[in-house]
Amino acid sequence: MTNVIVIGTQWGDEGKGKIVDWLSEKADLVVRFQGGHNAGHTLVIDGNVFKLSLLPSGIVRDNTVVLIGNGVVVDPFHLIREIKQLEEKNIKISPENLIISDAAFLILPIHQLVDEIREKNYGSKKLGTTGRGIGPAYEDKIGRRGLRICDFVNKDDFESKIKKIYDFHNIWLSAMSESKQNYEDVFHKIWSLGKKILPFTRPSWLIIDEYKNRFLNILFEGAQGTFLDIDHGTYPFVTSSNTVSSQAGIGSGAGPTLMNYTLGITKAYTTRVGSGPFPSEDHGENGIKLGKQGHEFGTVTGRQRRCGWFDTVLVKQAVALSSINGIAFTKLDVLDGFKDIKICIGYTLDGKIINYLPSSTLDQEKVKPVYEVMKGWEGSIVGIKKMDALPDEAKKYIKRIENLINCKIIMVSTSPERTDTIYLENPFSLV
Ligand code: GDP
Ligand code: IMO
Ligand code: MG
């Protein structure tokens, strides 16, 4: 039995979906452990594109069971929609291959409304959320007034809990001179979804324990990225969950000794969608070129992603924060055609060199990148599957990054397609 955690090492959209999809061939169970439908994970299999937001990427495989862990926030309307969309693509979904934790919290329509109104009121200081109600739903969880999937079992109890949540948020909406939302308008619709959802539900920890006792392989699929982590990210420009590897256990019901390997997914350059500090952002031609060649538009919101150079300070910090064992290096082909490639190797803060991202937002906004420049390569590396077939400059770039982040690169991805990857090691065979 080997259990592997996959997490993003930057600000999300590193290509986790593609790598999880490939790895899931060896996994018996694929588990989401945080976030919700703010995630957008893209899989390309023989030209067919699948975009998953809430369901774990293993769902597209015939023999893989997927689990939405207790740490995930579930919008019941979205859940039903995503299941339907996949069924339309001939993916079979039943309680045999999809399990949802009964302790996962629900995202309600009022959470989405509060998310939107808050962003509107922040104006130019907005966080740039996905507008899916993720933050307000997690706040209600921590505020101990949240509604969980297991609450679908008793109508009166469900009604009194949903009323309490709506009353709480309506006080703020009224104070902001915004229209209130009545729980009565949504209660029956949501309650009726319970019938569809309950057959899929089980305690998440019990499933994990069952797989452990049967010596089966578990793959934990992270969403977002290290610097969107509520504790370790560029707060407050973060999501409302922990995205680092330690969350895999908390968000599914297991302890750290169950985990054998953490794979970090790292883009060969850097992107970010939404507001917040981004030291190696390139506002010039190169940033535009990276965005164009990398098709850097958000999977969930369609927003243009901000682009910049590879930041070794960030990724080295991510390697430490999640005790990462190896890296999958993605989208290297996007650097095709760059004469020079810059790598951020450190920062200066008020004229002093520092080699980590400081905690203060003001300092994060102030740090200036220190770059070294490497020579780019000629021609296209799209679809290359063997290290030997890469141009020398690309090999040198990989080696240099490995040295700077102090972690081994065990896969290099050269196109969105499942099979277009240089696989040097498989984490499931390493332990
Ligand atoms: P995730 O959120 O980490 O799963 O990443 P997304 O799916 O949001 O964004 C990554 C995008 O890059 C998707 O459109 C993928 O199909 C695409 N992609 C993944 N790996 C590669 C690669 O190696 N090269 C190129 N050109 N695109 C890739
Ligand atoms: P995947 O799993 C990139 C960003 C949003 C915003 C911040 C807070 O596809 O990598 P939220 O709606 O979560 O409250 O928004 O987090 N964000 C992501 N950025 N990839 C994601 O997921 C993201 N999920 C949230 O853009 O800046
Ligand atoms: Mg994404």
Side-chain angles (χ1 to χ4, degrees), residues 142-243:
I142 302 300
R144 295 170 291 188
R145 60 183 164 268
L147 197 54
R148 294 182 296 163
I149 289 184
C150 52
D151 294 320
F152 271 123
V153 294
N154 182 300
K155 197 171 182 183
D156 290 340
D157 180 58
F158 194 92
E159 184 166 4
S160 83
K161 283 178 175 150
I162 198 170
K163 180 177 182 307
K164 194 168 156 191
I165 293 171
Y166 273 69
D167 286 348
F168 178 86
H169 291 293
N170 277 328
I171 293 169
W172 179 78
L173 287 169
S174 305
M176 299 303 283
S177 308
E178 296 286 349
S179 308
K180 292 203 277 185
Q181 199 176 72
N182 296 320
Y183 90 90
E184 291 95 334
D185 295 345
V186 295
F187 170 59
H188 290 288
K189 271 191 214 143
I190 297 173
W191 177 254
S192 69
L193 295 179
K195 269 201 271 342
K196 292 187 181 164
I197 296 171
L198 278 179
F200 292 93
T201 59
R202 299 273 304 277
S204 177
W205 67 268
L206 205 58
I207 304 299
I208 302 276
D209 201 44
E210 232 173 78
Y211 275 73
K212 179 189 156 207
N213 293 335
R214 290 163 59 201
F215 304 104
L216 296 171
N217 290 342
I218 310 177
L219 177 58
F220 294 88
E221 175 180 6
Q224 289 80 54
T226 302
F227 294 93
L228 290 171
D229 183 283
I230 185 81
D231 283 274
H232 301 289
T234 45
Y235 189 89
F237 302 100
V238 292
T239 192
S240 293
S241 67
N242 285 109
T243 61

Side-chain angles (χ1 to χ4, degrees), residues 53-274:
S53 283
L54 182 60
L55 299 184
S57 299
I59 193 76
V60 301
R61 292 209 183 248
D62 286 343
N63 299 318
T64 310
V65 176
V66 302
L67 169 65
I68 295 179
N70 54 276
V72 175
V73 279
V74 177
D75 177 329
F77 295 99
H78 177 88
L79 173 68
I80 301 298
R81 247 192 333 264
E82 195 166 319
I83 290 176
K84 197 160 163 259
Q85 279 163 5
L86 284 167
E87 283 175 339
E88 280 163 8
K89 291 196 159 197
N90 295 322
I91 305 289
K92 292 199 173 46
I93 300 180
S94 74
E96 298 290 306
N97 69 338
L98 168 65
I99 305 167
I100 304 169
S101 164
D102 56 0
F105 282 78
L106 289 175
I107 302 180
L108 301 169
I110 203 158
H111 292 136
Q112 195 173 345
L113 180 68
V114 168
D115 195 354
E116 271 168 32
I117 304 276
R118 265 197 212 146
E119 286 285 271
K120 190 182 83 183
N121 281 292
Y122 283 145
S124 64
K125 297 224 165 18
K126 70 175 183 201
L127 302 177
T129 71
T130 59
R132 301 244 157 147
I134 304 291
Y138 274 119
E139 287 167 34
D140 279 353
K141 169 179 177 173
I142 302 300
R144 295 170 291 188
R145 60 183 164 268
L147 197 54
R148 294 182 296 163
I149 289 184
C150 52
D151 294 320
F152 271 123
V153 294
N154 182 300
K155 197 171 182 183
D156 290 340
D157 180 58
F158 194 92
E159 184 166 4
S160 83
K161 283 178 175 150
I162 198 170
K163 180 177 182 307
K164 194 168 156 191
I165 293 171
Y166 273 69
D167 286 348
F168 178 86
H169 291 293
N170 277 328
I171 293 169
W172 179 78
L173 287 169
S174 305
M176 299 303 283
S177 308
E178 296 286 349
S179 308
K180 292 203 277 185
Q181 199 176 72
N182 296 320
Y183 90 90
E184 291 95 334
D185 295 345
V186 295
F187 170 59
H188 290 288
K189 271 191 214 143
I190 297 173
W191 177 254
S192 69
L193 295 179
K195 269 201 271 342
K196 292 187 181 164
I197 296 171
L198 278 179
F200 292 93
T201 59
R202 299 273 304 277
S204 177
W205 67 268
L206 205 58
I207 304 299
I208 302 276
D209 201 44
E210 232 173 78
Y211 275 73
K212 179 189 156 207
N213 293 335
R214 290 163 59 201
F215 304 104
L216 296 171
N217 290 342
I218 310 177
L219 177 58
F220 294 88
E221 175 180 6
Q224 289 80 54
T226 302
F227 294 93
L228 290 171
D229 183 283
I230 185 81
D231 283 274
H232 301 289
T234 45
Y235 189 89
F237 302 100
V238 292
T239 192
S240 293
S241 67
N242 285 109
T243 61
V244 293
S245 62
S246 307
Q247 176 63 21
I250 294 173
S252 63
T257 53
L258 188 82
M259 314 301 176
N260 305 109
Y261 192 100
T262 297
L263 179 70
I265 314 295
T266 303
K267 213 180 262 194
Y269 50 100
T270 315
T271 62
R272 160 160 222 176
V273 55

Side-chain angles (χ1 to χ4, degrees), residues 404-423:
L404 287 164
I405 63 175
N406 198 21
C407 192
K408 202 168 168 189
I409 290 176
I410 66 161
M411 298 174 198
V412 180
S413 169
T414 56
S415 107
E417 265 288 344
R418 180 191 266 176
T419 49
D420 287 345
T421 311
I422 302 167
Y423 293 110

Side-chain angles (χ1 to χ4, degrees), residues 13-17 40-42 299 305 331 333 413-416:
D13 303 326
E14 296 91 349
K16 297 176 290 294
H41 298 172
T42 316
T299 313
R305 296 175 185 147
K331 302 191 88 163
D333 55 297
S413 169
T414 56
S415 107

